[in-house]
Amino acid sequence: MRATSVSDSQARSLRRESAAAGFLPAIETPSPMPAVRQLFVQLRDGIVAGRLQPGHRLPSTRTASREWSLSRGLVAEAYDMLIAEGYALGRHGSGTYVASGLPSIPTGTSEGHQAVGGSDSRAISTAAKMAMRIGTALPLQAPFTTGRVIHDARTASLLKRLTLRHLDYTHDGYREAQGEAALREAIAAHLIASRGVRCEPGQVFITSGTQQALDLAVRLLASPGQTVLVEDPCYPPARQAFVFNGARLAGIQVDRDGLSTQQLKAYDGPRPAAVYVTPSHQYPSGSALPLARRLELLSFAQERGCWIIEDDYDSEFRYEGRPITSLQGLDATDRVLYLGTFSKALLPGIRVGYLIVPHDLVATFRAARPIVDRFPAPLHQRVVADFLNEGYFPAHLRRLRERYRASRDFLARLLNERLSEHLIAPVPEQGIHFTVRSTGTWTDDRAVAQAALQEGVAVLPVSPMHISTAAESGLLLGFSGLTDEEADVGTRRLSRVFARLTR
């Protein structure tokens, strides 16, 4: 036990009945908290609350051991912890005493926090309050959840083998802020060949999925209070990222051909900092932006001096014809930032996405990236780099597309057989979800989604995704990672939901 100097007169004055007379700790077994820690916490709380008063001597370890039915060594260790943290004083041959002169320690109230002087004494930032209002619940893993991935045995085996190859952490240090060079080179080569993107590895930033890419983009392109133009309806996590960073949103209507460039050109509000689009497969409507509108969008950005954020979230999954060329590949004025992810093509848990920025923004993003998270974790980057560089990705995508095509077609047949009375369900040519509309038997997509959730089925309502245009009801049904059994069970349950709601 650590000795602390106490005078003889102090020791004589402190020799009195134990401050812990009548104190009986309640040690729980089993418990995730060790018994010595439980004893220390209960003694500490007694001191803080004033039940064990300053200057009073604690019972000897022998007495405490007998009265509390604890080992003497455990009691001694708890006393040492009290002394080490300043709650008690110890002297050889005299005993352990409750420390004097401790400042009052704030304690909680049953009501939580209280306002002081008319203000909140437990203040949080404006951004934190915004996050609470936005709500960012993760999707339930149930039939029709969007974005699920289940791999075949071949891809699973390859990913395991490549991961084991890079599990040596004996030699490591701080990494490149933009990401591993091998992965950036592989991504640039892949995007040039498959998406017509014009880029070099030096323009590539590896991110933790598209969400971090969106967060970085809006932080560095739009100051709080500036306007960002977004598709209306809009991908909810993108909308959340913009609002969370203080951007003001203005919705541009989406029709059957994607973002309405006629409405875009008629926009007469404050100069926008950026325009956010999903041109290859608009989320949630599923439309694709035709060439004429793409060129009009690029002209708008050049004329207004704003950036374009192109979210190419599921371009790998086109079932009819070749993937549509990226908007970034048409951009001759370096106004487009292009972002994508491997969350849907490989695994959401890998958390590897990418952001391609114009040459003159590279220095800006390099300066800001280490402030956010220093550098992306190297393990999954190396695995994905090997997966691309060793030629596994194209064959994997072909197998995955065929599986998703089969899942899409099977679900389309079940929707037609069981739910055609209630749903209009066009078969998508790209992507991993159906966007369905009402035949007229229902109007409240939120009520449908809530009722479906109670049945164990996850469908997303479209109406909350609208910004300023009149909200139209619709539902999103994901089919990636959807087994035939889940499709069968899910459509039966959804049929019961509509039967109950429309009765």
Side-chain angles (χ1 to χ4, degrees):
M1 185 180 297
R2 188 177 71 180
T4 302
S5 177
V6 179
S7 69
D8 291 340
S9 60
Q10 285 177 314
R12 284 194 298 273
S13 67
L14 292 173
R15 289 183 180 279
R16 60 191 72 178
E17 184 178 3
S18 167
F23 176 81
L24 186 63
I27 305 300
E28 297 181 4
T29 56
S31 170
M33 183 183 291
V36 65
R37 184 74 186 175
Q38 293 184 57
L39 178 57
F40 161 75
V41 168
Q42 293 181 45
L43 287 167
R44 180 201 64 188
D45 290 350
I47 293 170
V48 170
R51 295 192 299 273
L52 304 179
Q53 297 182 3
H56 281 218
R57 184 168 62 89
L58 297 176
S60 68
T61 56
R62 187 185 303 277
T63 301
S65 173
R66 183 178 63 252
E67 293 181 355
W68 299 342
S69 299
L70 299 171
S71 74
R72 189 174 178 184
L74 187 148
V75 175
E77 186 177 353
Y79 282 6
D80 281 345
M81 293 169 69
L82 290 172
I83 293 170
E85 297 199 17
Y87 294 101
L89 306 172
R91 185 187 182 200
H92 286 301
S94 177
T96 303
Y97 303 89
V98 177
S100 300
L102 288 176
S104 59
I105 300 176
T107 58
T109 65
S110 59
E111 292 81 15
H113 71 275
Q114 294 179 338
V116 177
S119 64
D120 189 347
S121 63
R122 296 169 63 86
I124 58 176
S125 72
T126 300
K129 294 173 183 175
M130 182 65 67
M132 296 297 291
R133 288 198 296 271
I134 292 172
T136 54
L138 294 175
L140 176 71
Q141 298 304 300
F144 309 138
T145 299
T146 57
R148 290 198 303 168
V149 178
I150 301 174
H151 284 318
D152 58 25
R154 182 176 178 182
T155 294
S157 176
L158 285 169
L159 290 174
K160 289 176 184 177
R161 178 164 61 81
L162 295 176
T163 301
L164 289 173
R165 178 188 296 175
H166 295 290
L167 278 178
D168 183 4
Y169 284 105
T170 56
H171 301 286
D172 202 1
Y174 285 95
R175 317 295 298 190
E176 166 60 46
Q178 283 187 239
E180 298 292 294
L183 179 57
R184 290 188 285 118
E185 291 170 3
I187 287 174
H190 167 66
L191 294 177
I192 290 169
S194 66
R195 303 293 297 117
V197 170
R198 301 187 303 169
C199 71
E200 301 170 355
Q203 295 173 256
V204 180
F205 285 77
I206 306 303
T207 62
S208 181
T210 54
Q211 199 63 20
Q212 187 182 53
L214 285 166
D215 180 68
L216 278 171
V218 71
R219 283 181 192 231
L220 302 184
L221 302 182
S223 299
Q226 282 192 289
T227 299
V228 173
L229 304 183
V230 299
E231 299 166 323
D232 193 359
C234 180
Y235 175 54
R239 177 180 182 177
Q240 292 162 358
F242 300 146
V243 172
F244 184 70
N245 282 288
R248 296 181 181 276
L249 299 187
I252 304 297
Q253 186 175 2
V254 168
D255 58 26
R256 60 184 301 172
D257 288 323
L259 184 80
S260 170
T261 48
Q262 182 177 0
Q263 189 182 58
L264 181 69
K265 288 184 286 188
Y267 170 77
D268 60 357
R271 185 183 74 82
V275 182
Y276 169 77
V277 288
T278 52
S280 295
H281 188 226
Q282 202 279 327
Y283 190 102
S285 72
S287 57
L289 199 64
L291 177 61
R293 290 195 180 188
R294 290 172 181 245
L295 297 176
E296 289 174 336
L297 173 56
L298 291 170
S299 295
F300 175 88
Q302 184 178 15
E303 293 167 3
R304 301 294 182 99
C306 64
W307 303 101
I308 297 174
I309 302 173
E310 178 182 9
D311 186 350
D312 207 19
Y313 65 99
D314 68 357
S315 61
E316 296 90 352
F317 305 110
R318 186 165 181 82
Y319 307 105
E320 312 299 335
R322 292 184 58 81
I324 299 171
T325 301
S326 67
L327 179 66
Q328 193 266 7
L330 299 172
D331 178 25
T333 61
D334 271 356
R335 287 281 173 186
V336 179
L337 289 84
Y338 178 92
L339 58 93
T341 180
F342 290 100
S343 292
K344 297 170 180 64
L346 283 176
L347 284 173
I350 282 181
R351 306 308 305 141
V352 174
Y354 48 87
L355 175 65
I356 316 295
V357 306
H359 286 93
D360 58 341
L361 287 181
V362 170
T364 301
F365 277 78
R366 278 189 62 84
R369 176 59 198 270
I371 298 173
V372 176
D373 67 349
R374 285 294 184 96
F375 59 92
L379 175 60
H380 287 163
Q381 290 186 74
R382 293 175 179 177
V383 172
V384 176
D386 285 357
F387 200 82
L388 270 63
N389 285 326
E390 296 178 19
Y392 302 126
F393 197 49
H396 160 73
L397 283 180
R398 285 194 295 270
R399 296 194 305 273
L400 200 57
R401 271 195 295 267
E402 289 309 308
R403 289 178 56 213
Y404 286 178
R405 184 199 299 271
S407 295
R408 178 200 67 173
D409 294 345
F410 185 64
L411 179 57
R413 180 167 65 83
L414 293 180
L415 291 174
N416 183 59
E417 291 175 356
R418 298 173 179 174
L419 289 155
S420 59
E421 179 185 353
H422 306 290
L423 300 179
I424 299 171
V427 178
E429 295 183 355
Q430 180 172 322
I432 53 178
H433 68 261
F434 279 81
T435 303
V436 303
R437 308 189 309 275
S438 172
T439 59
T441 61
W442 55 277
T443 56
D444 189 345
D445 54 1
R446 294 175 190 248
V448 173
Q450 184 60 39
L453 196 59
Q454 294 172 357
E455 288 280 349
V457 176
V459 297
L460 288 178
V462 171
S463 63
M465 302 181 195
H466 286 262
I467 308 296
S468 55
T469 59
E472 296 181 4
S473 287
L475 299 170
L476 297 191
L477 282 69
F479 56 84
S480 63
L482 184 71
T483 66
D484 288 354
E485 181 182 4
E486 287 177 322
D488 178 45
V489 171
T491 50
R492 291 183 188 277
R493 291 178 179 177
L494 203 53
S495 180
R496 290 199 298 268
V497 168
F498 282 113
R500 185 170 66 251
L501 290 178
T502 59
R503 194 163 32 237

